[in-house]
Amino acid sequence: MSDGRTEIERPLSPHLQVYRPMLTMMMSMAHRVSGVALAVGFALFAWWLIAVSAGPEAYAKVAAFWSSLPGQVLLFLFTWALIHHLLGGIRHLIWDTLHALDKPTIERLAWATIIGSTNLNLLLWIVGVWMRGSL
Amino acid sequence: MRTPLSQARGLGAAHKGPETFWRQRVTAVANIPLVLFLIFSILLHIGSDYATVKAYLAHPIVAVLMLGLVLSVTVHARIGVKEIVEDYIQSDAIRMPVMLLSSFFVIGAGLACAIAIVKISLGA
């Protein structure tokens, strides 16, 4: 049967577009999307650390970006992704112990993750701004 | 009664295989406190001047936590990104280079962080 091809055309199961969007499916995607976003954010974090290690001039340039409006928005999204992925990860760790796997609990955990990450991020920024005394 | 299942459980036929799964969990647990520390560090230092940030990062405890974070995140992100690439890119010819590049990207970012933290904490 082999025709020497390395890639076999296997039948594919129906994909995303045929399913009604469901909360749990969205949460799975959000976990992956936030994970990739954080990997990119990790490189931005490296850029910031390198600037600090390079000296005051390099730091001033990078700090100016992070203090600007786009920089602040990016940072806000970065901490949101961090908290969302963190809460989603805790959910996965709970599932790894074979707990909380019934449908109602999964739905509840999904909402807890969304509401939790959004509110925690807002709260942290409010506290952060308050501790620094200004934006 | 002992059955072959006890041998297979958790190990698989090759007596290895779950390391990646396990490593992802170990780094996930490590990331919980380390990421909270990172968020705290970020929010405290937006708009801080150079001397403040440098002194903060040069503190041995901060440097150890930052290095721990970088190590744990590098391992965790590499596994996660690799899994996504494996899932969504069907063609071997595209998947292999993307997998390599994404690994290089994550490890490169990790190394850059590590060298910066070491340089800052040694005061060079």
Side-chain angles (χ1 to χ4, degrees), chain A residues 51-70:
Chain A
V52 178
S53 77
E57 298 86 28
Y59 177 76
K61 280 184 199 145
V62 175
F65 170 73
W66 289 116
S67 301
S68 71
L69 187 64

Side-chain angles (χ1 to χ4, degrees), chain A:
Chain A
M1 288 294 281
S2 172
D3 56 5
R5 287 185 308 168
T6 54
E7 281 173 42
I8 305 158
E9 295 290 325
R10 296 191 180 87
L12 295 171
S13 63
H15 204 49
L16 284 179
Q17 62 275 13
V18 304
Y19 295 108
R20 179 172 58 87
M22 285 186 301
L23 182 63
T24 46
M25 171 173 135
M26 292 303 169
M27 290 305 290
S28 171
M29 286 159 70
H31 199 68
R32 291 193 156 200
V33 169
S34 58
V36 170
L38 288 173
V40 175
F42 187 41
L44 294 176
F45 178 58
W47 176 51
W48 179 75
L49 281 175
I50 289 283
V52 178
S53 77
E57 298 86 28
Y59 177 76
K61 280 184 199 145
V62 175
F65 170 73
W66 289 116
S67 301
S68 71
L69 187 64
Q72 293 271 293
V73 170
L74 204 60
L75 256 187
F76 181 82
L77 293 174
F78 181 64
T79 54
W80 190 18
L82 271 177
I83 297 167
H84 188 88
H85 200 80
L86 190 142
L87 292 179
I90 292 173
R91 211 167 40 115
H92 274 281
L93 290 172
I94 295 169
W95 288 334
D96 287 342
T97 67
L98 301 181
H99 288 88
L101 282 164
D102 59 294
K103 278 184 189 168
T105 311
I106 286 176
E107 293 275 314
R108 271 206 299 279
L109 278 178
W111 280 114
T113 306
I114 298 169
I115 296 167
S117 69
T118 312
N119 285 319
L120 266 177
N121 193 42
L122 280 172
L123 182 73
L124 279 169
W125 274 78
I126 291 167
V127 171
V129 168
W130 172 70
M131 281 172 79
R132 284 198 316 274
S134 72
L135 256 178

Side-chain angles (χ1 to χ4, degrees), chain B residues 6 42 69:
Chain B
S6 65
I42 291 173
L69 172 80

Side-chain angles (χ1 to χ4, degrees), chain A residues 42 45, chain B residues 26-27 30-35 37 60-76 113-114 117:
Chain A
F42 187 41
F45 178 58
Chain B
V26 171
T27 51
N31 280 342
I32 296 171
L34 293 170
V35 160
F37 162 73
I61 294 173
V62 173
V64 166
L65 289 172
M66 282 289 177
L67 273 181
L69 172 80
V70 167
L71 178 65
S72 185
V73 162
T74 303
V75 173
H76 191 86
C113 289
I117 294 163

Side-chain angles (χ1 to χ4, degrees), chain B residues 6-17:
Chain B
S6 65
Q7 274 198 318
R9 192 171 275 156
L11 289 170
H15 294 277
K16 55 182 190 178

